[in-house]
Amino acid sequence: MVDTAPRAPQFAATDEPSRHTQPMADRPAPDVVAAFRPLAEELADAAGAAIRPHFRRRLAVEAKADASPVTVADRAAESAMRELLAARRPGDGVVGEEYGAERAGAEYVWVLDPIDGTKAFISGLPTFGTLIALLHRGTPVLGVIDQPVSGERWIGVAGLGADLRDGRGAAPRPIRTRDCASLGEASLFCTAREQFVGPDGEAYARLVGRVRMTRYGLDCYAYAMLATGFVDLAVEATLEPYDYLALVPVIEAAGGRISDWDGAPLGLASDGRVVAAGDPRRHSEALAVLRGSG
């Protein structure tokens, strides 16, 4: 998920209809969004089928231009999802980690991260996941976090709630974030401490000093645990759109809040700094601490 070097947004603001959340009247009805769920699940199935044969196998690992690792599994999984979308939804946009953006200004855009947490994947750790987001006019309305080895799958649909399937063949069950009595009682997760440099490092250190517990290294799995009610806060500073957009519908539909460090909704043009909280009160408090006003 995280590259520790600061970087500018990959997608120009002109590629995105709006950085800000659409007014409710402009969003598709929840049942319209839910109609995309079977396709989203097919995408996750296709990615998982491409990934599982490579898990805990000796793989060649290449370094991309930003020094992040990539494997044949990453590329095969994204290719499988893109092929399915080309057959089923040829007019939709697609933004993916491995093969870039096509039609990023379309009404509906799919944002794909075939393996979020490639470093965990190549280390044999089952804390990576496939991330799938559906955007409507720039706003995330459906999100999938899929763990293809364990068979766990989290899905959030704007306006309809979030659920978790605990293993392949299991029935989905509703999930909710948990209440957190105070920031001093909160658990805080992020992928790597090294991503916070300069003023971001100072801001993050302030937040670490206010919470009960800090843990590292789970990539998207920490956000899945937040949506399920086991984690209170997750904070990052150097994410790309494919790292965070699928998280938005899952966390918000489960009752949590997720935004950039200014409190603005996340979109394709966000700066990569993310704050998520299971309890919306702690989200506001964490933002204040990061800004130096809390």
Side-chain angles (χ1 to χ4, degrees):
M1 174 180 281
V2 173
D3 169 22
T4 56
R7 50 192 168 183
Q10 187 176 34
F11 306 100
T14 53
D15 289 336
E16 183 188 20
S18 172
R19 177 182 172 179
H20 300 286
T21 299
Q22 293 171 260
M24 291 297 293
D26 295 336
R27 297 192 206 179
D31 60 326
V32 173
V33 179
F36 287 93
R37 176 173 176 147
L39 176 55
E41 297 219 46
E42 286 188 63
L43 295 172
D45 289 342
I51 291 167
R52 283 189 294 276
H54 300 288
F55 183 59
R56 291 181 180 166
R57 300 291 188 269
R58 302 293 184 186
L59 295 177
V61 180
E62 300 175 36
K64 295 191 286 189
D66 64 0
S68 62
V70 63
T71 71
V72 63
D74 299 77
R75 292 175 174 145
E78 185 168 324
S79 293
M81 290 189 284
R82 283 179 176 265
E83 289 172 9
L84 189 53
L85 287 171
R88 301 288 186 82
R89 299 282 302 181
D92 289 354
V94 183
V95 174
E97 178 173 12
E98 306 307 332
Y99 297 111
E102 301 175 43
R103 300 176 298 279
E107 179 179 10
Y108 285 100
V109 176
W110 298 85
V111 182
L112 312 173
D113 190 346
I115 300 180
D116 181 79
T118 300
K119 291 178 182 178
F121 173 75
I122 63 178
S123 301
L125 303 174
T127 54
F128 65 93
T130 297
L131 300 180
I132 300 165
L134 176 63
L135 277 55
H136 178 258
R137 295 178 180 165
T139 296
V141 293
L142 184 152
V144 179
I145 305 171
D146 188 72
Q147 213 308 314
V149 176
S150 67
E152 296 167 296
R153 180 174 294 171
W154 292 261
I155 299 181
V157 177
L160 287 182
D163 57 57
L164 162 64
R165 185 191 72 187
D166 286 322
R168 282 184 290 278
R173 59 179 178 85
I175 56 171
R176 293 289 295 176
T177 59
R178 71 182 180 189
D179 293 336
C180 181
S182 69
L183 202 57
E185 295 296 315
S187 58
L188 169 64
F189 281 66
C190 82
T191 302
R193 176 65 180 83
E194 294 78 13
Q195 68 186 279
F196 303 104
V197 298
D200 286 352
E202 295 169 7
Y204 180 73
R206 285 195 298 271
L207 188 57
V208 168
R210 295 284 300 276
V211 301
R212 176 175 58 86
M213 179 182 77
T214 306
R215 301 292 292 172
Y216 298 92
L218 293 186
D219 299 288
C220 64
Y221 205 81
Y223 294 85
M225 290 296 98
L226 187 150
T228 315
F230 295 101
V231 169
D232 298 305
L233 292 168
V235 176
E236 313 277 6
T238 57
L239 302 189
E240 294 287 359
Y242 40 76
D243 294 320
Y244 58 74
L245 287 173
L247 311 175
V248 175
V250 177
I251 289 171
E252 292 186 344
R257 287 283 308 280
I258 182 169
S259 73
D260 69 14
W261 284 24
D262 294 321
L266 295 168
L268 284 172
S270 297
D271 67 5
R273 298 187 302 168
V274 171
V275 181
D279 188 323
R281 299 170 300 174
R282 303 293 78 81
H283 180 268
S284 299
E285 197 172 355
L287 286 176
V289 173
L290 290 169
R291 294 172 185 148
S293 59

